[in-house]
Amino acid sequence: MTCGVCGADTPCTPTIFVVDDDEAMRHSLVFLLQSLGQPVQAFASAESFLAAWGKRHAGCLVADVRMPGISGLELQRELNERGDSLGIVFISGHGDIPMVVRAMRAGAIAFLEKPFNDQVLLDHVAEALARSATECARKAGIRFIAERVERLTGRERAVMELVAAGKPNKVIAHDLDISMKTVEVHRAHVMEKMQAGSVAELTRLLVQAGLLPG
């Protein structure tokens, strides 16, 4: 099974990424976060992190807010624009209320001020990993549905949309100016290619992929 987020041949292993320009803090964070049993990768700057960021992954980003060059908040904005599934936990020795509000509104899991309690950080990172895994699975589901839709011919897709809209075969035949027998054939192909056992299941798949309104 391929990963629906990065497209790899197997689902991605959730990874914890640490971005902090303070070398001592970076090493301390890596040592602490390794206790969660997930891979941990560390970077001294947002620029080096982005340069190594070839594909999207499920996981968590623990990042300082104030760093030379690209700040933590700017990094968050860049990742959001890319549609990445990383949960973000910010740490800072000099946070203020507007900064916290901005980070949380943009989807951060938590904003911790240094010095912070180690267990609190671990709890937030575990939450971020769980949320990221859920989002990765959601995107994988959408990807698989889209791949099924791509296997349909243009006429099969037209029939599918009318079937999902609740139209009976007679109406579909009239709307598309084809015979009832042809509708039945296309409908059978649609159900097979979409791997749907019923019209209700077909409709659910299309709603899940955003191809029909909920």
Side-chain angles (χ1 to χ4, degrees):
M1 179 172 135
T2 60
C3 177
V5 177
C6 74
D9 291 335
T10 57
C12 293
T13 300
T15 301
I16 303 170
F17 300 94
V18 174
V19 179
D20 197 313
D21 62 303
D22 183 322
E23 183 176 5
M25 174 59 72
R26 195 166 62 248
H27 291 322
S28 176
L29 286 169
V30 169
F31 180 77
L32 173 64
L33 294 169
Q34 284 175 336
S35 67
L36 290 173
Q38 300 296 137
V40 181
Q41 296 181 23
F43 300 87
S45 68
E47 288 86 348
S48 61
F49 169 76
L50 290 172
W53 192 242
K55 293 181 178 180
R56 292 175 288 180
H57 295 272
C60 173
L61 170 65
V62 178
D64 194 1
V65 176
R66 299 181 184 274
M67 296 182 289
I70 298 175
S71 70
L73 293 179
E74 291 169 339
L75 175 58
Q76 180 187 34
R77 184 178 65 242
E78 173 66 22
L79 293 175
N80 283 343
E81 289 176 354
R82 295 186 184 192
D84 286 294
S85 300
L86 285 176
I88 301 178
V89 175
F90 282 117
I91 56 176
S92 177
H94 307 284
D96 53 42
I97 292 178
M99 185 183 295
V100 175
V101 171
R102 179 180 169 188
M104 300 304 289
R105 283 181 174 173
I109 301 295
F111 193 111
L112 304 179
E113 289 193 48
K114 301 175 184 176
F116 47 79
N117 180 281
D118 288 353
Q119 189 57 51
V120 170
L121 174 62
L122 291 174
D123 289 345
H124 284 306
V125 170
E127 178 187 354
L129 289 170
R131 286 196 195 181
S132 179
T134 298
E135 178 65 7
C136 186
R138 185 188 69 83
K139 290 182 178 179
I142 291 174
R143 180 187 179 96
F144 296 144
I145 295 168
E147 289 174 349
R148 296 175 198 172
V149 172
E150 289 174 2
R151 292 198 291 266
L152 301 176
T153 65
R155 182 51 59 86
E156 287 169 350
R157 182 158 184 170
V159 169
M160 177 184 70
E161 291 170 353
L162 292 172
V163 168
K167 302 287 187 180
N169 287 357
K170 183 177 181 180
V171 174
I172 295 174
H174 177 270
D175 288 351
L176 298 180
D177 194 25
I178 56 179
S179 70
M180 284 272 289
K181 181 62 176 178
T182 301
V183 171
E184 292 170 0
V185 170
H186 285 320
R187 183 168 178 153
H189 288 166
V190 166
M191 302 302 282
E192 179 182 0
K193 291 180 180 180
M194 292 300 296
Q195 300 176 32
S198 66
V199 173
E201 184 178 358
L202 174 66
T203 302
R204 180 185 62 78
L205 291 172
L206 296 178
V207 170
Q208 181 181 341
L211 299 175
L212 285 178

Coordinates of all heavy atoms in Angstrom, one line a residue, residues 11-65:
P11 N 3.5 3.1 3.6 CA 3.1 4.2 4.4 C 4.3 4.8 5.2 O 5.2 4.0 5.6 CB 2.1 3.6 5.4 CG 1.5 2.4 4.7 CD 2.7 1.9 3.9
C12 N 4.3 6.1 5.3 CA 5.5 6.8 6.0 C 5.5 6.4 7.5 O 4.4 6.3 8.1 CB 5.3 8.3 5.8 SG 5.6 8.9 4.2
T13 N 6.7 6.2 8.0 CA 6.8 6.1 9.5 C 6.8 7.5 10.1 O 7.6 8.4 9.7 CB 8.2 5.4 9.8 OG1 8.2 4.2 9.2 CG2 8.4 5.3 11.3
P14 N 5.9 7.8 11.0 CA 5.8 9.1 11.6 C 7.2 9.5 12.2 O 7.8 8.7 12.9 CB 4.8 9.0 12.7 CG 3.9 7.8 12.2 CD 4.8 6.9 11.5
T15 N 7.7 10.7 11.9 CA 9.0 11.2 12.3 C 8.8 12.4 13.1 O 8.0 13.3 12.8 CB 9.9 11.4 11.1 OG1 10.0 10.2 10.3 CG2 11.3 11.9 11.5
I16 N 9.7 12.6 14.1 CA 9.7 13.8 14.9 C 10.9 14.7 14.3 O 12.0 14.2 14.3 CB 9.9 13.6 16.4 CG1 8.8 12.7 16.9 CG2 9.9 14.9 17.1 CD1 9.0 12.2 18.3
F17 N 10.6 15.9 13.9 CA 11.6 16.8 13.4 C 11.9 17.9 14.4 O 10.9 18.5 14.9 CB 11.2 17.4 12.1 CG 11.0 16.4 11.0 CD1 9.7 15.9 10.8 CD2 12.0 15.9 10.2 CE1 9.5 14.9 9.8 CE2 11.8 14.9 9.3 CZ 10.5 14.4 9.0
V18 N 13.1 18.2 14.7 CA 13.5 19.3 15.6 C 14.2 20.3 14.9 O 15.2 20.1 14.2 CB 14.4 18.7 16.8 CG1 14.9 19.9 17.7 CG2 13.7 17.7 17.6
V19 N 13.8 21.6 15.0 CA 14.4 22.7 14.3 C 14.7 23.8 15.4 O 13.8 24.4 15.9 CB 13.6 23.3 13.2 CG1 14.3 24.5 12.6 CG2 13.3 22.3 12.2
D20 N 16.0 23.9 15.8 CA 16.4 24.9 16.8 C 17.8 25.3 16.5 O 18.7 24.4 16.3 CB 16.2 24.3 18.2 CG 16.2 25.3 19.3 OD1 17.1 26.2 19.3 OD2 15.4 25.2 20.2
D21 N 18.1 26.6 16.5 CA 19.5 27.1 16.2 C 20.4 26.9 17.4 O 21.6 27.0 17.3 CB 19.4 28.5 15.8 CG 18.9 29.5 16.9 OD1 17.7 29.2 17.3 OD2 19.6 30.4 17.2
D22 N 19.9 26.6 18.6 CA 20.7 26.4 19.8 C 21.1 25.0 19.9 O 20.3 24.1 20.1 CB 19.8 26.8 21.1 CG 20.6 26.7 22.4 OD1 21.4 25.8 22.5 OD2 20.4 27.5 23.3
E23 N 22.4 24.8 19.7 CA 22.9 23.4 19.6 C 22.7 22.6 20.8 O 22.3 21.4 20.7 CB 24.4 23.4 19.3 CG 25.0 22.0 19.1 CD 26.5 22.1 18.7 OE1 27.1 23.2 18.7 OE2 27.1 21.0 18.4
A24 N 22.9 23.2 22.0 CA 22.7 22.4 23.2 C 21.2 22.0 23.4 O 20.9 20.9 23.8 CB 23.2 23.2 24.4
M25 N 20.3 23.0 23.1 CA 18.9 22.7 23.2 C 18.5 21.6 22.2 O 17.7 20.7 22.5 CB 18.1 24.0 23.0 CG 16.6 23.8 22.9 SD 15.9 23.0 24.4 CE 16.0 24.4 25.5
R26 N 19.1 21.7 21.0 CA 18.7 20.7 19.9 C 19.1 19.3 20.4 O 18.3 18.4 20.2 CB 19.5 21.1 18.7 CG 19.0 20.5 17.4 CD 19.5 21.2 16.2 NE 21.0 21.1 16.1 CZ 21.7 22.2 16.1 NH1 21.2 23.4 16.4 NH2 23.1 22.1 16.0
H27 N 20.3 19.2 20.9 CA 20.7 17.8 21.3 C 19.9 17.3 22.5 O 19.5 16.1 22.6 CB 22.2 17.9 21.7 CG 23.1 18.0 20.6 ND1 22.9 17.5 19.3 CD2 24.3 18.7 20.5 CE1 23.9 17.8 18.5 NE2 24.8 18.6 19.2
S28 N 19.5 18.2 23.4 CA 18.7 17.9 24.5 C 17.3 17.4 24.1 O 16.8 16.4 24.6 CB 18.6 19.1 25.5 OG 17.7 18.8 26.6
L29 N 16.8 18.1 23.1 CA 15.4 17.8 22.6 C 15.5 16.4 21.9 O 14.6 15.6 22.1 CB 14.9 18.8 21.6 CG 14.5 20.1 22.2 CD1 14.3 21.2 21.2 CD2 13.2 19.9 23.0
V30 N 16.5 16.2 21.1 CA 16.6 14.9 20.4 C 16.7 13.7 21.4 O 16.0 12.7 21.3 CB 17.9 14.8 19.5 CG1 18.1 13.4 19.0 CG2 17.7 15.8 18.3
F31 N 17.5 13.9 22.5 CA 17.6 12.9 23.5 C 16.3 12.6 24.2 O 15.9 11.4 24.4 CB 18.7 13.3 24.5 CG 18.9 12.3 25.6 CD1 19.7 11.2 25.4 CD2 18.3 12.5 26.9 CE1 19.9 10.2 26.4 CE2 18.5 11.6 27.9 CZ 19.3 10.4 27.7
L32 N 15.6 13.7 24.5 CA 14.3 13.5 25.2 C 13.2 12.9 24.3 O 12.5 11.9 24.7 CB 13.8 14.9 25.6 CG 12.3 15.0 26.2 CD1 12.3 14.2 27.5 CD2 11.9 16.4 26.4
L33 N 13.2 13.3 23.0 CA 12.1 12.9 22.1 C 12.3 11.4 21.7 O 11.4 10.8 21.3 CB 12.0 13.8 20.9 CG 11.5 15.2 21.3 CD1 11.7 16.2 20.1 CD2 10.1 15.2 21.8
Q34 N 13.5 11.0 21.7 CA 13.8 9.6 21.3 C 13.1 8.6 22.2 O 12.9 7.4 21.9 CB 15.3 9.3 21.3 CG 16.0 9.9 20.1 CD 17.5 9.7 20.1 OE1 18.1 9.6 21.2 NE2 18.2 9.8 19.0
S35 N 12.7 9.1 23.4 CA 12.0 8.2 24.4 C 10.7 7.8 23.9 O 10.1 6.9 24.4 CB 11.9 8.9 25.7 OG 11.1 10.0 25.7
L36 N 10.1 8.5 22.9 CA 8.8 8.2 22.3 C 8.9 7.0 21.3 O 7.8 6.5 20.9 CB 8.2 9.4 21.7 CG 7.8 10.5 22.6 CD1 7.3 11.8 21.8 CD2 6.6 10.1 23.5
G37 N 10.1 6.6 21.0 CA 10.2 5.4 20.1 C 10.0 5.7 18.6 O 9.9 4.8 17.9
Q38 N 10.0 7.0 18.2 CA 9.9 7.3 16.8 C 11.2 7.9 16.3 O 12.0 8.4 17.1 CB 8.8 8.4 16.6 CG 7.4 8.0 17.1 CD 6.8 6.8 16.3 OE1 6.2 5.9 16.8 NE2 7.0 6.9 15.0
P39 N 11.4 7.8 15.0 CA 12.7 8.5 14.5 C 12.7 9.9 14.7 O 11.6 10.6 14.7 CB 12.5 8.2 12.9 CG 11.6 7.0 12.8 CD 10.6 7.2 14.0
V40 N 13.8 10.5 15.1 CA 14.0 11.9 15.4 C 15.1 12.5 14.5 O 16.2 11.9 14.4 CB 14.3 12.2 16.8 CG1 14.5 13.7 17.1 CG2 13.3 11.6 17.8
Q41 N 14.8 13.6 13.8 CA 15.8 14.2 12.9 C 15.9 15.7 13.4 O 14.9 16.3 13.7 CB 15.4 14.2 11.5 CG 15.4 12.8 10.9 CD 15.0 12.8 9.4 OE1 15.2 13.8 8.7 NE2 14.5 11.7 8.9
A42 N 17.1 16.2 13.5 CA 17.4 17.5 14.0 C 18.0 18.4 12.9 O 18.8 18.0 12.1 CB 18.2 17.5 15.2
F43 N 17.6 19.7 13.0 CA 18.2 20.7 12.0 C 18.5 22.0 12.8 O 17.7 22.4 13.7 CB 17.2 21.0 10.9 CG 16.8 19.8 10.1 CD1 15.8 18.9 10.5 CD2 17.5 19.5 8.9 CE1 15.5 17.8 9.8 CE2 17.2 18.3 8.2 CZ 16.2 17.5 8.6
A44 N 19.5 22.7 12.3 CA 20.0 23.9 13.0 C 19.2 25.1 12.5 O 19.3 26.2 13.1 CB 21.5 24.1 12.9
S45 N 18.5 25.0 11.4 CA 17.8 26.2 10.9 C 16.6 25.7 10.1 O 16.5 24.5 9.6 CB 18.7 27.0 10.0 OG 19.0 26.3 8.8
A46 N 15.6 26.6 9.9 CA 14.4 26.3 9.1 C 14.9 26.1 7.6 O 14.3 25.2 6.9 CB 13.4 27.4 9.2
E47 N 15.9 26.8 7.2 CA 16.4 26.7 5.8 C 16.9 25.3 5.6 O 16.7 24.7 4.5 CB 17.5 27.7 5.6 CG 17.0 29.2 5.4 CD 16.9 29.9 6.8 OE1 17.0 29.2 7.8 OE2 16.7 31.1 6.8
S48 N 17.7 24.8 6.5 CA 18.3 23.4 6.3 C 17.2 22.4 6.4 O 17.3 21.4 5.7 CB 19.4 23.1 7.4 OG 18.8 23.2 8.7
F49 N 16.2 22.6 7.2 CA 15.1 21.7 7.3 C 14.3 21.6 5.9 O 14.1 20.6 5.4 CB 14.1 22.1 8.4 CG 12.8 21.3 8.4 CD1 12.7 20.0 8.8 CD2 11.6 22.0 7.9 CE1 11.5 19.3 8.8 CE2 10.4 21.3 7.9 CZ 10.4 20.0 8.3
L50 N 14.0 22.8 5.4 CA 13.3 22.9 4.1 C 14.1 22.3 3.0 O 13.6 21.7 2.0 CB 12.9 24.3 3.8 CG 11.8 24.9 4.7 CD1 11.6 26.4 4.5 CD2 10.5 24.2 4.5
A51 N 15.4 22.5 3.0 CA 16.3 22.0 2.0 C 16.3 20.4 1.9 O 16.4 19.8 0.9 CB 17.7 22.5 2.2
A52 N 16.1 19.8 3.1 CA 16.1 18.4 3.2 C 14.7 17.8 3.0 O 14.5 16.6 3.0 CB 16.7 17.9 4.5
W53 N 13.7 18.7 2.9 CA 12.3 18.3 2.9 C 11.9 17.9 1.5 O 11.2 18.7 0.8 CB 11.5 19.4 3.5 CG 10.1 19.1 3.9 CD1 8.9 19.6 3.3 CD2 9.6 18.2 4.8 NE1 7.8 19.1 3.9 CE2 8.2 18.2 4.8 CE3 10.3 17.3 5.7 CZ2 7.4 17.4 5.7 CZ3 9.5 16.5 6.6 CH2 8.1 16.6 6.5
G54 N 12.3 16.7 1.1 CA 12.0 16.4 -0.3 C 10.5 15.9 -0.5 O 9.9 16.1 -1.5
K55 N 10.0 15.2 0.5 CA 8.6 14.7 0.4 C 7.9 15.0 1.7 O 8.5 15.2 2.8 CB 8.6 13.2 0.2 CG 9.2 12.8 -1.2 CD 9.1 11.3 -1.4 CE 9.6 10.9 -2.8 NZ 9.5 9.4 -3.0
R56 N 6.6 15.0 1.6 CA 5.8 15.2 2.8 C 5.7 13.9 3.7 O 5.6 12.8 3.1 CB 4.4 15.7 2.4 CG 4.4 17.1 1.9 CD 3.0 17.5 1.4 NE 2.7 16.8 0.1 CZ 1.5 17.0 -0.5 NH1 0.6 17.8 0.0 NH2 1.3 16.3 -1.6
H57 N 5.6 14.1 5.0 CA 5.6 13.0 5.9 C 4.5 13.2 6.9 O 4.2 14.3 7.3 CB 6.9 12.7 6.5 CG 8.0 12.4 5.6 ND1 8.3 11.1 5.3 CD2 8.9 13.1 4.9 CE1 9.3 11.0 4.4 NE2 9.7 12.3 4.2
A58 N 4.1 12.1 7.6 CA 3.4 12.2 8.8 C 4.4 12.4 9.9 O 5.5 11.8 9.9 CB 2.5 10.9 9.0
G59 N 4.0 13.1 10.9 CA 4.9 13.3 12.0 C 4.7 14.6 12.8 O 3.6 15.2 12.7
C60 N 5.7 15.0 13.5 CA 5.6 16.2 14.4 C 6.8 17.1 14.2 O 8.0 16.5 14.0 CB 5.5 15.8 15.8 SG 5.5 17.2 17.0
L61 N 6.7 18.4 14.2 CA 7.8 19.3 14.1 C 7.8 20.1 15.4 O 6.8 20.7 15.9 CB 7.5 20.3 13.0 CG 8.5 21.5 12.9 CD1 9.9 21.0 12.7 CD2 8.1 22.5 11.8
V62 N 9.0 20.0 16.1 CA 9.2 20.8 17.3 C 10.2 21.9 16.9 O 11.3 21.6 16.5 CB 9.8 19.9 18.5 CG1 10.1 20.8 19.7 CG2 8.9 18.8 18.8
A63 N 9.7 23.1 17.0 CA 10.5 24.2 16.4 C 10.6 25.4 17.4 O 9.6 25.7 18.0 CB 10.0 24.6 15.1
D64 N 11.8 26.0 17.4 CA 11.9 27.3 18.1 C 11.2 28.3 17.3 O 11.1 28.2 16.0 CB 13.4 27.6 18.3 CG 13.6 28.7 19.3 OD1 12.6 29.2 19.8 OD2 14.8 29.1 19.5
V65 N 10.7 29.4 17.9 CA 10.0 30.4 17.2 C 11.0 31.5 16.6 O 10.9 31.8 15.5 CB 9.0 31.1 18.1 CG1 8.3 32.3 17.3 CG2 7.9 30.1 18.5

